[in-house]
Amino acid sequence: SFLYYLEKEDELKNPSWKRRAHRYYREVELETAYELHNSLYLSHLSYADTVEDIQKGIEDFTDDLELLHVKTEALPGEPAHFVAANRQQIKGDNGQQYSQKSSVDDTSSRKYDVVVVVRGTKEVGDILTDALLDGVTYKSGSAHSGVFQGGKYIVEKHIELLEHLRQNLGRQKLRVALTGHSLGAGAASVAATLFREHYHDTIEAKAVGFGCPAIFSSELSESTKDYITTVVVDSDVGKLRQMMLQYDLIVSNFCVRHLFHTMGQFLVPVEQL
């Protein structure tokens, strides 16, 4: 019945329906569209297999980013990611100009000093992080255990580097932009929240996520709307379900597979009957 429901929804929510539904939404400012474009490119780049591929992807995209750290292999609770500094901010105080390449707008790139890009699910370590579906208590709500651990890892891994950059710049606050897709979007959102909670005097963090899963409880999620922007395709049912529904679906799939496996032990080819 679930598949029939999806088919019916896809039939109703065609492009014409979506255009009418979005007609009265608040318009997206051009600068925000540029920021989303650049964040999406970097989020896609995070899936590259090697450091060299990420470096080349950055060089093809813009001259403004200098790669500082890359982790291409994920462990449970430790997502793959890369960190890059904005040359215009870190080295551009002498007035030197850096040309843009594929980056569609240079004003959005001047609003941050460092960008942290977190990869989504790609390998076994990521799957294990996704599978930690139990909720952990955080502030006045709860969060996805595995994704929360991933965001906490990002903060603890790089806070020393960020503080070093801040001191070298002589800034009161370092502006950090985090972005990612799927699991990466969730970890980036958690990291931005933790930066603002524990290092709000020295770090100004914001996050942009694409296809972000439901990682925070409703009230907690509402409290992050001023610094976290998420983009979710309205037909992406995997991201729109709540955590417990995801858990129920996994359990149901496991039970069905177990049933067929058990039945298979008692089935014999027809010619043996």
Side-chain angles (χ1 to χ4, degrees):
S1 59
F2 180 63
L3 294 179
Y4 287 114
Y5 168 77
L6 292 181
E7 183 178 358
K8 184 63 176 179
E9 287 295 295
D10 285 340
E11 178 183 339
L12 294 175
K13 296 180 179 179
N14 53 50
S16 177
W17 179 91
K18 293 177 182 179
R19 179 71 184 106
R20 293 193 302 272
H22 297 165
R23 179 178 300 171
Y24 301 106
Y25 279 38
R26 178 172 56 88
E27 292 185 357
V28 177
E29 296 180 356
L30 186 59
E31 186 175 321
T32 301
Y34 287 146
E35 180 182 9
L36 292 175
H37 169 275
N38 295 342
S39 297
L40 182 60
Y41 177 89
L42 295 174
S43 296
H44 183 267
L45 181 60
S46 67
Y47 285 90
D49 294 325
T50 66
V51 177
E52 292 74 20
D53 290 339
I54 293 176
Q55 180 68 60
K56 185 179 185 305
I58 289 178
E59 292 174 355
D60 291 343
F61 180 60
T62 177
D63 289 327
D64 286 341
L65 290 177
E66 179 176 332
L67 199 59
L68 300 180
H69 174 87
V70 179
K71 175 180 169 65
T72 58
E73 296 183 359
L75 296 173
E78 299 181 6
H81 64 281
F82 68 85
V83 181
N86 188 334
R87 285 196 179 114
Q88 289 190 0
Q89 304 299 339
I90 302 300
K91 298 181 179 179
D93 293 338
N94 59 2
Q96 182 180 0
Q97 295 297 318
Y98 295 89
S99 63
Q100 290 283 350
K101 291 183 179 177
S102 300
S103 180
V104 295
D105 179 64
D106 66 346
T107 58
S108 61
S109 66
R110 296 170 185 167
K111 291 189 173 183
Y112 61 81
D113 302 311
V114 176
V115 60
V116 181
V117 186
V118 190
R119 194 188 72 191
T121 302
K122 183 180 179 180
E123 54 187 282
V124 175
D126 301 314
I127 296 173
L128 294 176
T129 300
D130 293 333
L132 296 175
L133 292 172
D134 54 315
V136 293
T137 301
Y138 177 61
K139 291 186 175 180
S140 59
S142 61
H144 182 290
S145 176
V147 179
F148 188 85
Q149 184 177 341
K152 184 179 179 182
Y153 164 78
I154 295 293
V155 173
E156 294 176 346
K157 175 75 174 177
H158 296 298
I159 186 58
E160 185 176 342
L161 170 64
L162 297 177
E163 179 61 20
H164 177 72
L165 289 174
R166 185 189 69 82
Q167 292 180 0
N168 284 348
L169 287 172
R171 298 269 183 85
Q172 181 179 352
K173 285 190 175 184
L174 191 73
R175 295 166 298 182
V176 179
L178 301 102
T179 189
H181 164 256
S182 190
L183 166 63
S189 299
V190 170
T193 303
L194 294 176
F195 275 131
R196 295 177 74 95
E197 178 186 7
H198 299 291
Y199 303 99
H200 56 85
D201 292 333
T202 57
I203 301 290
E204 180 182 334
K206 68 173 184 176
V208 175
F210 300 91
C212 185
I215 58 169
F216 287 146
S217 55
S218 180
E219 298 80 6
L220 188 57
S221 177
E222 185 69 18
S223 68
T224 67
K225 64 182 182 180
D226 292 335
Y227 59 90
I228 295 178
T229 301
T230 56
V231 179
V232 178
V233 178
D234 55 8
S235 59
D236 189 350
V237 295
K239 303 303 183 297
L240 296 178
R241 287 194 304 265
Q242 295 298 315
M243 287 187 292
M244 288 310 299
L245 292 180
Q246 294 176 347
Y247 174 78
D248 291 341
L249 183 61
I250 290 176
V251 172
S252 299
N253 288 341
F254 174 79
C255 291
V256 170
R257 290 180 182 179
H258 181 70
L259 175 62
F260 277 106
H261 176 74
T262 303
M263 292 174 59
Q265 297 177 355
F266 298 97
L267 298 178
V268 295
V270 175
E271 58 269 18
Q272 296 183 15
L273 296 177

